[in-house]
Amino acid sequence: LDQLVGLAMLVVASVVFLYYTIWTLLMPFVDEDHPLQSLFLPRVWAIRIPVILILLGSAVVGSFLSVVMIRSNRKKALKAKA
Amino acid sequence: MTRAQQHISLGLLLSSVYLSCSLGLIPLPSKIQDEVIPYLPFWVIVSFGAYLLFKLGLGVFTFNDVPDAYKELMGQIDQAKTELRAKGVSVD
């Protein structure tokens, strides 16, 4: 099962890298009426998606950190009282 | 020269090159200047993330089980737990 997970991670990483590289570095040089353009979203999204993911990721990491810290402080306070 | 100094100097070099490009100090064809330069930092971040994920996936894919080391590790964990409990540290 874990081999499957590893393989899936490999494939996802390669697909994401190839798509993003072609999107940002090659599409500017492709004419507007080439059929390849239909595979790619409008280029503004090439900046929006990473920014949104970074913000979401830092929000998740920050909330996890704060929950753990609050929980440990509460435990320390309980222990000090008892 | 320490590793940190090496990394910092490389980072400064690349960022100064990128800064000079994005401020228009280097005459580039306008197509490249307008469409490629602004996207380069995001491309670096995305490809770095993809590389890390690739490395992780490769490691997970090619990892072999070692049952003897597992038993030894579990034994060491139990031993450490009993020793710490004897010394008064709260374990689990």
Side-chain angles (χ1 to χ4, degrees), chain A residues 2-7 9-10 12-14 16-17 20-21 24-25 28-30 43-44 46-47 50-51 54 79, chain B residues 31-32 34-36 38-40 42-43 45-47 49-51 53-58 60-63 65 90:
Chain A
D2 48 349
Q3 280 208 329
L4 212 63
V5 169
L7 197 63
M9 280 161 71
L10 273 175
V12 164
S14 330
V16 160
F17 171 70
Y20 199 77
T21 303
T24 56
L25 302 185
F29 303 104
V30 169
R43 269 185 106 227
V44 276
I47 293 197
V51 168
I54 288 177
K79 263 181 130 178
Chain B
K31 196 87 189 283
I32 301 182
D34 294 328
E35 301 248 0
V36 172
Y39 292 82
L40 276 180
F42 299 97
W43 178 78
I45 295 175
V46 168
S47 4
Y51 167 69
L53 193 65
F54 187 84
K55 207 155 182 240
L56 260 177
L58 198 64
V60 170
F61 187 63
T62 52
F63 193 76
D65 278 338
S90 59

Side-chain angles (χ1 to χ4, degrees), chain A residues 2-82:
Chain A
D2 48 349
Q3 280 208 329
L4 212 63
V5 169
L7 197 63
M9 280 161 71
L10 273 175
V11 168
V12 164
S14 330
V15 164
V16 160
F17 171 70
L18 278 173
Y19 187 85
Y20 199 77
T21 303
I22 297 179
W23 199 10
T24 56
L25 302 185
L26 292 183
M27 293 320 281
F29 303 104
V30 169
D31 298 323
E32 255 317 301
D33 44 357
H34 196 282
L36 195 64
Q37 288 273 8
S38 57
L39 286 172
F40 293 97
L41 302 162
R43 269 185 106 227
V44 276
W45 287 98
I47 293 197
R48 282 184 198 165
I49 295 180
V51 168
I52 292 177
L53 288 176
I54 288 177
L55 291 175
L56 269 175
S58 43
V60 164
V61 167
S63 5
F64 173 72
L65 205 67
S66 39
V67 161
V68 162
M69 285 178 76
I70 291 177
R71 222 179 273 169
S72 101
N73 279 346
R74 212 179 290 161
K75 245 192 260 179
K76 220 197 310 179
L78 271 171
K79 263 181 130 178
K81 236 199 291 181

